[in-house]
Amino acid sequence: MNALLSIQTALYGTATILASAYHTPPFKLANITENKKSPDLQLMIMSSSPGILCGDDYSLKINVADHTSLRLFTQSYQRLFKAKKPSSQNLKVTVGKGAKLCYIPHPTVPHQQANFKSVSSISLQPTSILIWGEITTCGRKLKEEAFQFTKLHLVTDIRIENKLVVRENILIEPLETDLYAMGQWEGYTHQATLTIIHPGININQYMDAICQIFEKETGLIYGVSNPFPDGFITRVLGFKGEQMYKCLGEIARLFDCISLKNQTYDG
């Protein structure tokens, strides 16, 4: 199945609105914004399909206009089903001047013999704000399908004014690599990455708070690095997808109080 989803925001006074949206089955889109004082437009991406099926090809386009703020949610875990023919997803994101995008989807669960590739291309301006998360699981552990998928390839490119600043290239082929070996997953079953790019941010001001979020949990190891100015990347290994999803959400909320240019939020 070929499926399309397109989202375009706009600024109406000081509020972010949905300027246009287009989607084909199985995609659905819901506006879940509750706090009318919030500068964020909150949208949930939903699907009538149980997951990504054999041969599915998803194409998503997200355009966050200048000085608007979009927070995207997903409905549930993304399940990748058995696929003799590889399935794929292509996501193109543009975040304008002084605009903000926050997207931390639910964990991805590859079923036995799943074969999936996702390419995310994100284009920012120097004043754009990005909060971008990704959580990958070993599969259905209770079904004894840990690392029983065929291939999982996740590529994320982030560019600022067409200059590549982040490239995340995760290739997992359980039949080709010992994922329990040193330097691999080393016995852990879940992996998460959170990338935050925020102009003028001082990571040292938030480091203690970020560490406290992880250290109150059990079964996690993590690291925080700032390989580029105005942001940082957090990587996590653990055993529970919901636990990781909660932690990434808590980190994202640390930055909610930081106003966008020309916008304020009283909370």
Side-chain angles (χ1 to χ4, degrees), residues 61-183:
K61 294 183 180 180
I62 301 167
N63 192 338
V64 186
D66 293 354
H67 307 299
T68 64
S69 180
L70 175 63
R71 184 179 295 272
L72 278 178
F73 296 87
T74 51
Q75 184 179 16
S76 61
Y77 281 48
Q78 178 66 277
R79 299 191 177 275
L80 309 176
F81 286 93
K82 177 180 178 180
K84 293 182 179 180
K85 179 182 178 182
S87 52
S88 62
Q89 176 175 285
N90 189 286
L91 174 58
K92 293 186 177 180
V93 176
T94 302
V95 184
K97 298 176 181 177
K100 175 183 176 182
L101 172 64
C102 179
Y103 183 44
I104 304 176
H106 283 81
T108 297
V109 183
H111 288 208
Q112 189 174 31
Q113 298 184 36
N115 190 338
F116 177 71
K117 182 176 182 179
S118 173
V119 178
S120 301
S121 302
I122 305 169
S123 177
L124 307 177
Q125 294 297 314
T127 54
S128 302
I129 298 172
L130 177 70
I131 301 175
W132 187 267
E134 187 171 65
I135 304 172
T136 305
T137 77
C138 65
R140 299 185 297 177
K141 290 192 294 184
L142 297 181
K143 295 285 187 178
E144 298 183 351
E145 288 185 7
F147 298 117
Q148 294 297 308
F149 55 90
T150 301
K151 183 178 180 179
L152 186 61
H153 193 185
L154 309 174
V155 180
T156 301
D157 285 348
I158 302 176
R159 289 178 167 84
I160 300 178
E161 286 193 318
N162 294 320
K163 179 181 179 181
L164 185 66
V165 294
V166 176
R167 167 161 285 178
E168 182 86 359
N169 190 357
I170 298 175
L171 176 60
I172 309 173
E173 295 178 292
L175 298 179
E176 304 293 333
T177 305
D178 181 5
L179 296 173
Y180 294 97
M182 182 71 69

Side-chain angles (χ1 to χ4, degrees), residues 185-186 188 190-194 203 206-225 232-239 243-244 247-248 251 254:
W185 290 41
E186 300 184 10
Y188 291 92
H190 293 60
Q191 175 182 268
T193 302
L194 179 66
I203 180 60
Y206 297 92
M207 186 62 74
D208 287 344
I210 293 171
C211 292
Q212 287 174 11
I213 288 173
F214 288 121
E215 289 172 0
K216 69 182 181 181
E217 303 289 335
T218 59
L220 296 178
I221 60 171
Y222 70 95
V224 182
S225 61
F232 63 92
I233 297 176
T234 301
R235 300 186 187 278
V236 192
L237 288 171
F239 299 98
Q243 180 188 39
M244 288 184 163
C247 288
L248 297 195
I251 295 173
L254 292 175

